[in-house]
């Protein structure tokens, strides 16, 4: 059975759209990357689902990348064993070929629009496009306000951390779990494990369980685990293990979850809104190593942050509704049979790489 994993390559944040698309595949070693072009409703998700389905049936590893605007829709499919991928290359995560045809290439789905018909709904397309832009901007404004308030609390709690106690605990784990040297490249792959969406927070902890049988849960409400995970990441790479660093949607320089599939080992952060929700192999209560003086203030800030993020979710729901309306306006003018036929041709090409 094919190994299947689920991540995000984009995330919604107070800084706007966070983008890991340039890191999906190493183009210096890649064999084939399809960059899908075409507007809303043209069948990009349909195309990628067909690729994923065919490759799962063929038994190769499939990594699905879900859309932060709609976590039921795909932004990409990566086939690491084949060094191939297919990605949505349109805004807000524009992708352009670096080594055209030789490595990465355009796949133009826009040719399957009936242009004459599409022009009859031009006013509706303009209206819904602008509405989506306005509601997404509102979502980002709420997320930015939430993040600024949250960072104040993070700074307050961080001043009270018993770093020596945390360091001793992590050193013991490293000596036990990372004592062996691997045979891999010590490569770091960055992904988002989840993000805030129009459905609220969506986290793909099922991927953690699919790749790792031993899961350390770090109960951490104030972002102290990032320092620990960075240390674990560097040590694992030095000892020749490949890692998947799942970074924070609000701060992609900070690791929130670390997966070391070669060791079947994972370290995940849990906090309100991002609960692992299962029995871990071990639990580390980072929160218990902090004694902030003004807990009432922190509780108030957490409540206000949650309310601001609820406002962001409401705006993201408006964005999603506008995008649905945009797709509905264009759907009647898309030749989906041709989209499916092209997907089958490209799936066949990928299957030929397996032989």
């Amino acid at each position: 059975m094919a190994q299947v994993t689920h991540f995000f390559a984009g995330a919604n944040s107070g800084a706007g759209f966070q983008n890991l698309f340039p890191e999906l595949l190493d183009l210096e070693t890649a064999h084939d990357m399809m960059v899908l072009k075409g507007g809303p409703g043209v069948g990009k998700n349909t195309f990628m689902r067909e690729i994923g389905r065919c490759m799962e049936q063929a038994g190769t590893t499939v990594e699905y990348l879900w859309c932060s605007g709609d976590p039921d829709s795909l932004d990409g499919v990566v086939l690491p064993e084949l060094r191939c991928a297919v990605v949505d290359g349109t805004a807000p995560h524009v992708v352009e070929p670096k080594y055209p045809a030789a490595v990465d290439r355009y796949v133009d789905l826009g040719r399957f629009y009936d242009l004459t018909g599409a022009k009859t709904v031009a006013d509706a397309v303009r209206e819904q496009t602008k509405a989506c832009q306005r509601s997404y901007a509102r979502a980002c404004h709420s997320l930015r306000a939430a993040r600024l308030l949250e960072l104040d609390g993070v700074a307050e709690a961080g001043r009270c951390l018993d770093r020596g106690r945390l360091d001793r605990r992590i050193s013991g784990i490293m000596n036990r779990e990372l004592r062996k040297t691997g045979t891999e490249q010590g490569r770091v792959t960055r992904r988002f494990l989840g993000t805030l969406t129009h459905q609220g927070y969506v986290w793909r902890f099922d991927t953690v369980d699919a790749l790792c049988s031993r899961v350390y849960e770090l109960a951490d409400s104030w972002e102290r685990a990032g320092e620990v995970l960075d240390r674990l990441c560097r040590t694992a790479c030095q000892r020749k293990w490949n890692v998947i660093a799942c970074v924070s949607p609000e701060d992609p320089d900070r690791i929130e979850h670390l997966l070391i599939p070669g060791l079947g080992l994972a370290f995940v952060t849990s906090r309100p809104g991002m609960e692992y929700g299962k029995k871990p192999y071990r639990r580390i209560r980072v929160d218990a190593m902090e004694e902030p003086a003004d807990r009432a203030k922190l509780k108030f800030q957490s409540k206000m942050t949650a309310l601001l993020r609820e406002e962001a979710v409401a705006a993201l729901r408006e964005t999603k509704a506008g995008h649905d309306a945009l797709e509905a306006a264009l759907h009647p003018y898309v030749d989906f049979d041709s989209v499916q036929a092209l997907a089958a041709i490209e799936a066949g090409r990928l299957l030929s790489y397996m032989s």
Side-chain angles (χ1 to χ4, degrees):
M1 182 180 294
Q3 183 184 80
V4 176
T5 56
H6 305 271
F7 295 100
F8 291 77
N12 302 308
S13 80
F17 181 76
Q18 301 283 13
N19 186 3
L20 296 181
F21 277 74
E23 305 177 33
L24 295 188
L25 205 62
D26 181 1
L27 294 179
E28 303 307 314
T29 58
H31 184 64
D32 189 14
M33 185 167 85
M34 290 177 268
V35 179
L36 301 185
K37 296 293 184 178
V42 78
K44 297 186 292 293
N45 178 62
T46 299
F47 186 101
M48 289 184 281
R49 284 182 182 274
E50 180 63 14
I51 294 294
R53 184 191 67 79
C54 290
M55 302 318 291
E56 277 191 63
Q57 285 187 344
T60 193
T61 299
V62 178
E63 176 187 339
Y64 290 104
L65 301 168
W66 297 96
C67 174
S68 61
D70 178 4
D72 295 321
S73 227
L74 282 170
D75 268 347
V77 177
V78 179
L79 308 168
E81 292 174 358
L82 300 183
R83 296 177 292 121
C84 295
V86 52
V87 301
D88 180 350
T90 60
H93 36 75
V94 175
V95 179
E96 299 293 344
K98 183 178 180 180
Y99 303 116
V103 177
D104 42 354
R105 57 194 171 92
Y106 292 120
V107 176
D108 177 22
L109 300 186
R111 59 181 155 147
F112 299 126
Y113 281 128
D114 171 1
L115 296 182
T116 301
K119 289 187 181 299
T120 65
V121 292
D123 288 343
V125 168
R126 291 190 187 101
E127 179 183 348
Q128 293 301 334
T129 298
K130 292 172 183 176
C132 288
Q133 291 169 344
R134 289 193 298 269
S135 57
Y136 189 71
R138 290 202 310 275
C140 290
H141 293 159
S142 293
L143 288 174
R144 184 171 185 271
R147 183 58 179 162
L148 290 172
L149 191 59
E150 185 174 59
L151 285 173
D152 188 60
V154 167
E156 173 69 23
R159 284 191 285 269
C160 311
L161 177 66
D162 186 343
R163 293 180 182 277
R165 181 181 170 191
L166 181 58
D167 182 70
R168 289 190 297 273
R169 184 72 188 275
I170 296 305
S171 293
I173 293 171
M174 288 174 59
N175 291 335
R176 182 169 61 253
E177 297 287 4
L178 297 177
R179 65 181 184 274
K180 292 191 293 186
T181 300
T183 58
E184 299 173 333
Q185 298 87 6
R187 182 180 65 249
V188 179
T189 299
R190 295 204 311 162
R191 297 287 189 265
F192 295 114
L193 194 64
T195 182
L196 192 71
T197 76
H198 75 94
Q199 299 175 8
Y201 277 114
V202 174
W203 304 104
R204 298 307 305 251
F205 284 113
D206 53 334
T207 289
V208 176
D209 297 329
L211 294 175
C212 304
S213 57
R214 292 194 319 286
V215 178
Y216 283 79
E217 179 186 16
L218 284 70
D220 172 35
S221 300
W222 303 109
E223 302 182 9
R224 297 299 101 195
E227 305 165 24
V228 168
L229 295 173
D230 185 63
R231 181 181 170 192
L232 289 164
C233 180
R234 284 185 279 108
T235 301
C237 291
Q238 288 167 0
R239 295 183 182 170
K240 302 298 182 183
W241 296 106
N242 293 338
V243 304
I244 303 172
C246 298
V247 296
S248 165
E250 288 288 358
D251 179 9
D253 291 330
R254 176 170 54 85
I255 302 173
E256 282 190 326
H257 317 283
L258 183 69
L259 315 183
I260 313 174
L263 288 172
L265 179 66
F267 299 87
V268 303
T269 303
S270 274
R271 64 167 186 266
M274 190 173 72
E275 295 89 354
Y276 175 54
K278 300 168 188 176
K279 185 176 180 181
Y281 175 69
R282 294 282 189 276
R283 179 176 287 110
I284 303 168
R285 295 184 61 230
V286 179
D287 286 345
M289 303 178 195
E290 297 171 308
E291 289 296 334
D294 196 343
R295 288 190 176 274
K297 176 185 175 183
L298 290 176
K299 185 176 180 181
F300 173 77
Q301 288 176 324
S302 294
K303 183 178 179 180
M304 295 305 297
T305 298
L307 288 171
L308 285 164
R309 289 201 167 118
E310 286 178 14
E311 284 296 311
V313 170
L316 289 171
R317 280 199 295 267
E318 286 186 36
T319 306
K320 172 63 165 58
H323 190 77
D324 287 349
L326 190 57
E327 290 191 337
L330 290 167
H331 269 167
Y333 309 110
V334 176
D335 181 357
F336 285 105
D337 288 341
S338 292
V339 173
Q340 290 277 13
L342 181 58
I345 290 170
E346 293 295 355
R349 190 193 311 272
L350 290 169
L351 291 170
S352 73
Y353 299 153
M354 298 178 66
S355 57

